[in-house]
Amino acid sequence: MAVVEVRELVKHFDGGRVHAIDGVSLAAAGGEYLVLLGPSGCGKTTLLRTIAGLEQPTSGDVLIGGDVVTGLPPRARRIAMVFQSYALYPHKTVLANIVFPLKAAGMGRQDRDRKALWAAELLGIAPLLDRKPRQLSGGERQRVALARAMVRDPQVFLLDEPLSNLDAKLRASARDELKSFQQEVGTTTIYVTHDQAEAMGLGDRIAVLTDGTVRQVGPPKEIYDEPADKFVATFIGSPPMNLVEHDGSLVGFRPEHLLPAESLPATGVVEVPLAVDRIEYLSGDRHVYGTVWRIGERSRVVARIPATVDTPIVSGETYAFAVPERRLRFFDAESGRRRAPVALGG
Amino acid sequence: MATTAEQPTTRPIAAARRRLADRDGVLSWAFVVPSVVYIVALVGLPFGLAIAFAFSDVSAGDPSYDFVGLRNFRRVVDDPVFWRSVGNTFVFTLISMALIVLLGKVLANILVADFRGKWVVRFLVLLPWTTPVALSSISWLWLLDSIYSPIDWVLRQFGALGPVENMYWLGQPGLSMTSVIAVHVWRLTPLAAVIMMAGLMSIPKEIDEAARVDGAGYWRRMFEITIPLVLPVAAIAALFGAIFTFTDMAVVRVLTRGGPNDSTQVLASWAFYRGIDGGDVAQGAVIALFLFPLLLAAAVLILRAVRKIEVR
């Protein structure tokens, strides 16, 4: 059953001049980890804030636990939110921060202290309960914000880029902890991020947004392997999918599937010549930049050659490369949507 | 050859280093000296003179300095008007400040709110502060006139006052103090509102939103989140206001001149009437000196509040 659902949600700002959300329908199942992924300004944070009740939609409905909560204030929605800045109350101790939602719910002192201690122990911040937020590191603040969110036993966690204030090293371990934490509590989570690595690593499903609309919803593997349109294909993946124009359609293939022909079987592949102009050596892989033709118009592409393939390649030369046929994806050049495969003259 | 070619390039750099703008030691003195001179000339010197005059018999008619010990202090303390002024000063300051902080907070909430025509409201809120006190007090003098007061006229229209009755806003002891406080509150509230607005705006929006998501209603957010976070700033607004109020005589001077029967006389106005109008400079100095310990305490409290903000 869907714990959180939005139906035909529309949110305009400035009297309709800005369409932050343009008709989004989306549902998160019980216990699911749904990631909203998109470039900045795509409406993902507005969508999260609308679910939280911090913004009122222009039209459409928000359902939580099967009830329409569209007009209700945040406190009536049984949700918990972790903000990008964590938004801890600076004048309160860690303990007072964590018990605040319980106090607001009218829980007795002993009960709420016990609950706060339970959450603090789960997140490993029990020794910090007497500190003020300013005395904590970024990672500790994030845990306090999580503890404050979980003590209410919310129906859903809403997380707004909670890792973006951490440094790169801490981010990887915090991501790991977030995932195991959610598996432990099993609460439905909606997570907003612009970082595709976070989305791929955390999400049960990912909803890719741009310009206020959902382009594709699916498990990370599906989003990556079967992009629904040109935007998803080029937004996901680093480097992104290569696109080559061919008779009104676009032929797409991931950089890791464009490999020297000699390293691939002779059948079931499409051969392409690649004029190499630059090579980057990144964490064991070779990123080879160059131009392809024959399968369509001349286009710049990237090939990512794994460390296991040691074909010598130098810039300035042209090599025979190939892409397995089943790895090719086709898009309509005009609409950008996926379309049926076309025959490549080659 | 190489060394001679290098010299012309290094010399200008060395010369630039010796420029005045690069010498921190000299600069720091150059920047600090004007304010030191200013404070010494306009605060330190008068303060020293006030202490010196307090122990003398200097008057407007006889400026020669003779040391008389504590005689002036004894005369001031024996004067019932002085004690009345002390009492009035406290009543005036405490009631004014309570009202100013309360109304300032309310106005600050209005100033940060987003609604149609907010700039008109903002302009009106700030108007009392931007009007020169002498001008606005004279307008109030008309409003509170003993016979032609428009306030009385309004009261008469509503039947709260008989056809020939008057309130005598400035003519009765209790009412005149009320009038003085009302005008002073009207005058200082905008300043307090602006200071508190700055405090309100410094609270990150996400903190308020977090509290809303955490289930806190309006009053809980107000008393558990907003007010504690604005408190250090509000304390500064209150203490500044207290200093302004404590040392202020403009409203009293224009509206009542301390009357009727010294019922609105405050320390600052009493010092002025004794020392300048009455010509007894020595006594005026003694009365003014009584302001000092209280102002010192207020200043210490302000500095503490500022430190608290910095720590946060």
Side-chain angles (χ1 to χ4, degrees):
Chain A
M1 196 202 78
V3 168
V4 184
E5 193 180 349
V6 294
R7 286 185 188 156
E8 294 298 320
L9 207 67
V10 174
K11 175 69 183 176
H12 293 173
F13 287 112
D14 290 340
R17 275 198 298 276
V18 182
H19 294 208
I21 308 176
D22 227 353
V24 167
S25 298
L26 206 59
E32 188 182 22
Y33 212 117
L34 178 68
V35 176
L36 306 180
L37 174 67
S40 53
C42 71
K44 56 192 189 298
T45 294
T46 307
L47 180 54
L48 193 77
R49 290 170 56 86
T50 310
I51 295 170
L54 294 170
E55 306 277 356
Q56 281 302 317
T58 309
S59 69
D61 277 319
V62 179
L63 288 84
I64 295 177
D67 303 319
V68 176
V69 295
T70 313
L72 298 180
R75 69 191 136 91
R77 297 187 177 204
R78 288 200 52 209
I79 45 152
M81 188 157 170
V82 174
F83 290 81
Q84 192 169 356
S85 63
Y86 308 139
L88 300 179
Y89 310 123
H91 57 296
K92 290 179 181 289
T93 61
V94 168
L95 178 67
N97 263 282
I98 298 172
V99 298
F100 184 77
L102 302 176
K103 225 165 125 188
M107 189 186 270
R109 191 190 184 99
Q110 285 202 328
D111 287 342
R112 63 185 192 231
D113 281 359
R114 192 178 325 122
K115 194 95 203 237
L117 204 65
W118 163 77
E121 254 153 31
L122 189 72
L123 287 156
I125 48 170
L128 309 174
L129 286 176
D130 295 329
R131 302 243 192 113
K132 290 276 179 74
R134 64 165 186 275
Q135 298 165 310
L136 303 179
S137 71
E140 288 165 346
R141 281 177 205 191
Q142 190 224 12
R143 286 153 191 243
V144 176
L146 272 177
R148 186 176 67 182
M150 67 182 283
V151 286
R152 305 177 65 204
D153 296 324
Q155 298 201 41
V156 55
F157 281 132
L158 305 174
L159 309 182
D160 186 8
E161 309 220 6
L163 301 182
S164 60
N165 280 340
L166 304 180
D167 58 56
K169 209 169 167 185
L170 196 54
R171 205 176 297 168
S173 64
R175 192 164 81 202
D176 198 39
E177 281 171 17
L178 264 184
K179 183 75 180 177
S180 55
F181 161 76
Q182 195 260 355
Q183 277 165 350
E184 203 161 328
V185 273
T187 308
T188 310
T189 302
I190 300 181
Y191 185 104
V192 160
T193 184
H194 64 269
D195 182 332
Q196 47 170 304
E198 271 174 34
M200 289 289 180
L202 285 171
D204 293 329
R205 282 193 308 153
I206 297 173
V208 183
L209 280 90
T210 185
D211 296 333
T213 54
V214 174
R215 289 306 180 89
Q216 188 175 0
V217 191
K221 189 172 157 48
E222 187 184 307
I223 297 275
Y224 189 81
D225 287 341
E226 306 291 345
D229 66 9
K230 192 177 124 189
F231 173 80
V232 178
T234 49
F235 184 70
I236 305 285
S238 160
M241 185 177 267
N242 297 304
L243 292 174
V244 175
E245 198 159 348
H246 176 93
D247 275 348
S249 31
L250 294 168
V251 183
F253 45 92
R254 294 270 174 210
E256 63 270 29
H257 298 138
L258 178 62
L259 294 170
E262 62 174 63
S263 65
L264 288 167
T267 54
V269 299
V270 175
E271 285 215 18
V272 281
L274 177 70
V276 176
D277 55 37
R278 195 157 64 83
I279 301 169
E280 285 174 359
Y281 192 74
L282 290 172
S283 40
D285 292 355
R286 277 181 290 174
H287 290 200
V288 178
Y289 292 79
T291 310
V292 293
W293 61 94
R294 200 186 302 158
I295 55 163
E297 305 200 357
R298 293 182 75 90
S299 320
R300 263 185 77 76
V301 297
V302 192
R304 200 169 93 201
I305 304 175
T308 48
V309 175
D310 42 18
T311 312
I313 294 170
V314 288
S315 56
E317 298 287 319
T318 299
Y319 296 90
F321 271 63
V323 184
E325 256 165 32
R326 60 188 186 91
R327 297 296 190 182
L328 292 172
R329 301 290 177 263
F330 298 87
F331 305 92
D332 189 85
E334 214 150 283
S335 69
R337 307 294 302 172
R338 269 293 277 280
R339 53 159 296 167
V342 291
L344 296 174
Chain B
M1 190 65 209
T3 46
T4 47
E6 246 169 49
Q7 262 171 352
T9 55
T10 51
R11 203 173 280 153
I13 293 169
R17 237 179 236 145
R18 265 180 263 118
R19 246 184 237 155
L20 180 67
D22 296 309
R23 290 169 65 183
D24 290 350
V26 178
L27 273 189
S28 55
W29 275 104
F31 286 141
V32 165
V33 161
S35 53
V36 170
V37 169
Y38 180 89
I39 291 171
V40 167
L42 294 174
V43 180
L45 208 63
F47 184 60
L49 275 178
I51 294 174
F53 285 157
F55 296 98
S56 76
D57 65 349
V58 173
S59 70
D62 177 17
S64 64
Y65 190 94
D66 296 297
F67 186 79
V68 295
L70 290 171
R71 196 183 76 193
N72 291 313
F73 286 87
R74 242 175 275 128
R75 268 168 53 201
V76 164
V77 170
D78 286 342
D79 187 350
V81 179
F82 169 75
W83 290 109
R84 195 147 189 204
S85 305
V86 172
N88 284 340
T89 306
F90 275 99
V91 168
F92 178 50
T93 305
L94 292 178
I95 296 181
S96 299
M97 282 331 295
L99 290 172
I100 286 168
V101 168
L102 199 70
L103 294 174
K105 173 76 173 72
V106 173
L107 278 189
N109 280 358
I110 294 174
L111 284 174
V112 294
D114 195 26
F115 55 90
R116 275 173 86 93
K118 62 186 170 193
W119 69 270
V120 179
V121 176
R122 287 185 181 178
F123 172 74
L124 290 176
V125 165
L126 294 179
L127 198 59
W129 175 245
T130 52
T131 313
V133 59
L135 266 184
S136 54
S137 289
I138 285 170
S139 325
W140 277 103
L141 205 53
W142 292 336
L143 281 174
L144 302 170
D145 190 272
S146 56
I147 296 167
Y148 303 110
S149 164
I151 302 172
D152 286 2
W153 183 84
V154 171
L155 289 177
R156 251 179 246 123
Q157 294 301 307
F158 282 102
L161 218 57
V164 287
E165 272 185 278
N166 280 300
M167 288 294 288
Y168 302 109
W169 291 102
L170 303 173
Q172 302 179 43
L175 256 188
S176 59
M177 188 47 128
T178 308
S179 301
V180 167
I181 289 174
V183 174
H184 191 74
V185 167
W186 171 85
R187 190 162 77 92
L188 271 194
T189 299
L191 174 70
V194 169
I195 294 176
M196 278 195 255
M197 181 182 86
L200 278 180
M201 300 224 291
S202 74
I203 301 176
K205 213 174 117 221
E206 286 197 335
I207 295 220
D208 185 61
E209 290 178 342
R212 277 163 64 194
V213 172
D214 281 345
Y218 179 80
W219 294 109
R220 184 180 292 277
R221 292 205 306 277
M222 170 84 96
F223 285 103
E224 279 209 47
I225 308 294
T226 313
I227 289 183
L229 288 178
V230 175
L231 206 58
V233 176
I236 290 177
L239 288 164
F240 263 113
I243 290 178
F244 272 128
T245 311
F246 217 76
T247 56
D248 186 79
M249 55 165 283
V251 175
V252 168
R253 163 101 176 132
V254 174
L255 286 187
T256 64
R257 297 183 167 258
N261 273 333
D262 294 314
S263 65
T264 55
Q265 200 71 267
V266 288
L267 276 177
S269 62
W270 183 232
F272 176 80
Y273 287 123
R274 259 290 139 94
I276 309 296
D277 272 11
D280 194 340
V281 176
Q283 260 205 58
V286 170
I287 296 165
L289 275 184
F290 274 94
L291 292 169
F292 177 67
L294 291 150
L295 293 177
L296 190 69
V300 168
L301 288 173
I302 286 183
L303 291 176
R304 278 209 185 150
V306 169
R307 261 238 307 277
K308 206 173 166 192
I309 292 179
E310 279 172 356
V311 168
R312 197 181 80 200

